[in-house]
Amino acid sequence: MDYLRITDSLKKEVECKLRKHFPGRYYKTETNHYHANRFILLETIFHDIDIHYEYYQGYVELHLEGKFSGYEYNTIWRELVEESYQHQELSWHRWGNRNQGRCRINISIQSADDIIKCFEKISKIFDPVLSPLSEENGDAEIIMHQMENQEILPPADSMQVEKLTYGILKIKELPFNNFIIPEYQRPYKWSVKNVNQLINDLLYFKDSEEYRLGTLVLHENNIVDGQQRIVTLSLLLYELFNKKEIRAKNPYQEVQDRIKTFWKRTVFTNEHSIGHVRENLTAIEDRLDDLDDNFLDFLLNKCQFVVVRLPEISEAFQFFDSQNARGKDLEPHDLLKAFHLREIKKLSEKDSDNITKWQDLDPQRLVELFLTLYRVKRWAKNNSGKEFTKDNIDAFKGISLEDKRYPFYMQQIICHFFSSFYANEPSRNIDQSKMEFPFQIDQICINGSRFFDMIRYYDALYNKITDENEYRIYDSTEDEKSAYKIIRMLNNYSNRNRTGDTYVRQLFNCLLIYYVDRFGFAEINKVVRKIFRYAYQIRLIHYSVQLPTIDNSATSGIMFKTIRDAQSPYDIINLMIPQIGSLASNADTQIKQLYF
């Protein structure tokens, strides 16, 4: 078949005309293939490369590719087919998964001018159909789809360095296309309030010669610190480049391409991250009237990051710690996560699973879990444990497998390697047997992977000891004060959310998880009764219960010491609890009924 071939000279001529006739539109010319496979691509008003116009083998056509070849986009496809029936020069042909996957304009093409005329003609037919559909989908839907349907992209250009390097880079110089958000990163947490504050700050300083946005810490291509700002800036730039007035000028094409690649490469699986992306895109859209091309110029040319590249992941996290130790937005568990991640030399599949589970936990749940474990560690040694802060994170730092080994923790090391050997032995694929590392709350922990194992283990255990249904199998109709009935009452009585009641419940939970950690559910009915009487006598005799009251009871009382030194459950069961004298006037009726 004889048709106008795409040569280097034709490419230059067509591209020059495309810039003039379709300002702001993305285009691409492929000349590296054999002539039969060469093409000139022009995006539609939909601004999604999977639906585009294309000069291919002598004809200009509308192509539906990628996601648009799937049946979930049949609504768009039907709209286009119905419009085509009004134009006799159009014909549909098979392409990809569709019998009607490309629509050809049947006009003979002999020159670059003919190609441009056909692009103009076909765009006048289909752009009006696609324009309202583009508005219905919105940028949030496009980005969400890109995250859910990842293209197979070539590997990012490596940014590995042999020594610490740093420099100041303008936003337009940042290699967004090479950035990777690693699995161990926190969810994307910036809210609409954060986004609006960032935009307000940028508008306030837009006449400045330069504006520093913070520090970006990188290990290879991974963003160790700076994820929240980088993601937000990429959303802001995405919206700015799609603003009609800016798109018409087609500025900063290279930066646009980097941003598009960033969103093709970035995957958020955490539902909170996805929700924040959607909400923040909408918030940015609402502010677009305030943001013009001068704002874009300021953002790309005057706004800067201090970019720090480190050769070792451990150094990157250490830098992260030092930068954020005083940051108001970081919880103690965030700093512990960073510390223990740098102890992992190579992330295993199990590490990735543990980190994913960590990410899926509600942040408040992590605060509650770490506070409980910290208090047990402290109260078991008769030390105060009121609050868990950044100053206390050393309680969860322990044995580094790379450091010198001392006799007192060799038992931990032996357990670590034996349980790892047992779990990975090929015969486990046959017998399906599992061995959990023998964690104990008051033992020193092993840094790195075992820390994340430990948090996963104690999160599950905490769920178990607070779930009344876990005690059903130990219940009986004869036992009116069984563990099941006590836990059910504590989970449901009307005054459970009073401040003093929450403090007492925290003490109860700490004692219970400490016991179960040591003895499992052995004699659980008798032990829960004993712990209940010990903890809730405080609530019954005090009109007001404050945190120092609980802390004093835990540090000066005998219950934690008894559990710590016990050789069997009966050492706890046989413990004598002092008799209560007079009751407080606000003592809860349901607690009294089960107590006496």
Side-chain angles (χ1 to χ4, degrees), residues 376 379-382 440-442 507-520 524 526-528 530-532 534-535 554 557-575 577:
V376 173
W379 288 343
K381 297 179 181 179
N382 299 116
Q440 290 289 284
I441 297 175
D442 53 3
L507 174 63
F508 175 87
N509 287 345
C510 286
L511 286 165
L512 184 53
I513 197 172
Y514 191 29
Y515 172 82
V516 173
D517 191 44
R518 295 179 70 83
F519 296 103
I524 195 66
K526 296 176 181 178
V527 172
V528 167
K530 185 68 68 170
I531 293 175
F532 171 69
Y534 178 84
I558 58 173
M559 184 61 82
F560 277 99
K561 181 180 184 300
T562 302
I563 296 175
R564 182 192 71 200
D565 298 336
Q567 300 297 310
S568 80
Y570 281 91
D571 292 328
I572 296 105
I573 294 168
N574 294 330
L575 184 67
I577 306 296

Side-chain angles (χ1 to χ4, degrees), residues 252-310:
Y252 306 105
Q253 184 64 54
E254 187 177 347
V255 181
Q256 291 188 51
D257 292 343
R258 286 189 222 138
I259 296 296
K260 289 179 180 178
T261 302
F262 174 82
W263 280 109
K264 290 177 181 178
R265 201 184 293 282
T266 298
V267 182
F268 284 125
T269 56
N270 182 283
E271 62 180 20
H272 299 294
S273 298
I274 295 171
H276 284 134
V277 168
R278 289 182 181 276
E279 292 169 1
N280 292 345
L281 274 169
T282 302
I284 294 169
E285 288 173 2
D286 291 342
R287 297 294 302 271
L288 282 179
D289 287 344
D290 302 329
L291 313 177
D292 56 14
D293 50 358
N294 291 326
F295 175 85
L296 177 63
D297 290 337
F298 165 74
L299 178 59
L300 292 177
N301 295 300
K302 301 296 179 65
C303 294
Q304 308 165 337
F305 271 97
V306 176
V307 180
V308 180
R309 294 187 175 96
L310 294 122

Side-chain angles (χ1 to χ4, degrees), residues 28 31 36 102 131 185 198 229 271 358 376 409 575:
K28 177 181 178 181
T31 58
R102 55 177 172 158
S131 181
Q185 268 288 11
L198 175 65
R229 279 184 171 82
E271 62 180 20
W358 176 300
V376 173
Y409 60 62
L575 184 67

